[in-house]
Amino acid sequence: MTYTATATIDERGVLTGWSEGARQLLGHEASAVVGRPAAELLAGSPGGVGHALEGRQRWHGSVALRHRDGRRVEVRLLAHRRSAGQDGADWLVVTALPEEPQEDGREPVMELAFTQSPYTLALFDSELRLLRANRRMERALALPEAAMRGLPLPHIAPGAAGEEIGRRMRLAVDSGQAQEVEARLSPGLGQPTVLTPLKDSSGRVRAVSLTAPPTAQDTAARQWTRDTASRVLSQPGPGNGGAARGTGPGDGSYDDRSAGTRHTGPAETGNGRDEGARGAGTPLRAGGGRGEGADDPGRAARELAEDTVPGLADYCTVDLLDSPRPAGHTEPGPGGMIVLRRAAVRALDGDGGGDRGGGDRGGGGGRAPGAAAGELTAYGPGSPPAECLATGTPALYDTTDPAVAAWAESDPGAAWMRDCGTRSLMVVPLLVDGNRLGVALFGRHHRPEPFGPQELRLAEDLTARAAAALHKARRTSWARTTTMALQRSLLPHTLPEQAALEIATRYLPAATRAGVGGDWFDVIPLSTARVALVVGDVVGHGIRASATMGRLRTAVRTLADVDLPADELLTHLDDLVLRLAADESSGDPAAETAGGIGTTCLYAVYDPVSRRCSIARAGHPPPAVVTPDGTVRFLDVPAGPPLGLGGLPFEVFETELPEGSLLALYTDGLLAARDRDIDVSLDKLFAALGRPAATLDAVCDRILAELLSHRPDDDIALLVARTHALHEDRVASWELESDPAIVSRARRVASEQLTRWGLDDAAFVTEMVVSELVTNAIRYGRPPLRLRLIHQNDTLVSEVYDSSGTTPHMRRARIFDEGGRGLLLVAQLADRWGTRHDRVGKAVWAEQSLSAPADLALL
């Protein structure tokens, strides 16, 4: 008769429970053992068992126990660590004795159908004890059949799912009706779990079968694995038709010349142990290059580990060099060590339990094989990984091999192999075009069978796919990093100081693999306290778009510096794009978006004195404005054509903005959401702008939070500005007659105004500048004339307007010349000076700093 023996042990190792089955097994009454150390029942040293249980959630294995009459009893135990509420945790230890004898005369075909079925299959007797479990059941629960045989399901898989399925299994036996249960014993099992009572010819229920379908992922994985193994194993090797040559069992080595690999340690030959590279029976995940095209270089490494554990190996580590190295250029570090960074590590729990790292794609949980992901790891000279990197050749090892033994002995970082009981190793380089990217290490410590040559060839194929994906991802990542670095270098690092506008900006690169685009913004201080705002969007992505953006941004700053009106500036920019397109298309006729044709741009100039804003746009979205009363609207700026079309005009839109108005400029990526209509995005933008906010940074953050539910598909540039005004107490102007005698009056009124402003220290320089500017306007310009002084923070601007369109030029006067020194003197006294053309006439201005003394050395 089969019976179950159970016991419970607390964290201190003291027995807290003892079943009737345990009494039958060892002869001790519960009253005699409960409260005593469980180690007293062991026939051997308790150290080995304690070490096996350390840090684990589950363990199974053979243990020698001492019967009450003194004889030694060998049993196979299954132990689960359980939560015990506030009192901590305890261990549930179960065993089934005696084992049910194997049936004789089973049909081989029926046996194969059971063990190799893609469905999870298990048989339980009428007492609900396990009789048989196929490979799918073993893999789903990460337990061999021998550890489960004779136990009821709640003891095999403690928990709510095990209890529920066990209860429904009892119902199937009692009612004779099949049951379907949605509960799953493992994430690796599909739904539903079907419980079918098996009846003999008399209608008596003799057993219950448990069946669970494969998951969709497993179905795809098996097809992919069959295709991969078939393709890999059907490729003939050079000179021998692809057959792996073995020297025969027992000689300790074999040679797979078709794969170009080296093998050491005992081999399994002629016994089918490799099972056709485990093609149909190994649950390799449907990957093998799922990371191709990904931007994350570590993703391919993590997916290699996920695709091979637990299907091919019990653990896998992937270590990468910082950059590809050709053969013979591994550049060892101090002491001959080769330093790599661990990109992925995945393993089964040390007791054979569940898949560790599934939650974070190969991360932590349980005892890690050496370094964790992200940490540096080093391999000494002569170690298998170092040899693999040096030669670029994969290898199979048994842990008794001298190279492995020496490695584990000399390198404390390899001690985990001994601790977890590794039986077999595969070391495979990650190669791309002859360059080494790193090394992958595969090991088995739960399954007794060693790796075979076909499994090594399958591991080579998977690793090659991962290396190709990794290399591609690295190139994409490097290109993206380079592009982003270029674009960041071209965008403003800090906003210039000016008092006309309070400004906040945001820039968000796209989340696509196409790379960073050419969106940009800029803030450019102009003469007489005005400020230019620029937002643009170069078509395309990548370095070409960023480089074009840099050219256009430089051109805009240059054109703005000469105070061109907004429409004229865009016309010059349009001509520049046409020239760039012609230059690039002549060198590469197939160049995509050559020179930035189709680029959009918006250019706005705000004058804090008049509070007027002049705007022109080239195919760019119109700006939004929020007036102080909370009204939100788009400014009706004529659209204009995108840059690079040529021959089409741009129009200027002018409007007066009350002080405290909010102006929002942006690129189209802000509104182009893939999950909603453009009208919804506009409503969200208006709602975000219309709500009061303490700061402009808060406005920017609110806009992005309202309009973005995920990383944007296109780059986004956002610029928000609040207007300030220069009132009459900071601006003074006078109409002047075109008469040389008026120069003295201009000096006098300028000096009196500086006195009212408390700027007497600047009077001398200002009088000289005003005198020269007025004299120049009288001599070379046309009436009417107007003098204006603007005081803004620590800056003073002197400006003289006349109706002539001629531009003054500095020239160097000869010794006996009576004129020609005026503008030269202005240039020496002022920090900046220049000419601004209006629709009629011009204004010559000079700006001087009030925080630093003027340099009068030339006077």
Side-chain angles (χ1 to χ4, degrees), residues 620-693:
H620 201 82
V625 65
V626 185
T627 54
D629 62 1
T631 303
V632 185
R633 73 181 192 279
F634 280 125
L635 295 180
D636 190 18
V637 184
L643 299 176
L645 300 185
L648 298 175
F650 300 96
E651 298 181 52
V652 173
F653 172 85
E654 290 194 1
T655 185
E656 184 172 335
L657 298 177
E659 185 176 9
S661 297
L662 205 65
L663 196 62
L665 283 64
Y666 52 90
T667 54
D668 58 3
L670 182 67
L671 302 178
R674 62 171 177 253
D675 55 353
R676 61 175 174 265
D677 187 76
I678 183 66
D679 291 335
V680 177
S681 296
L682 293 176
D683 291 341
K684 287 180 174 289
L685 175 62
F686 274 34
L689 286 170
R691 295 202 303 271

Side-chain angles (χ1 to χ4, degrees), residues 21-47:
R23 186 196 65 78
Q24 295 181 47
L25 176 65
L26 296 182
H28 296 283
E29 297 291 341
S31 59
V33 294
V34 171
R36 294 172 54 190
E40 295 180 0
L41 299 178
L42 296 175
S45 170

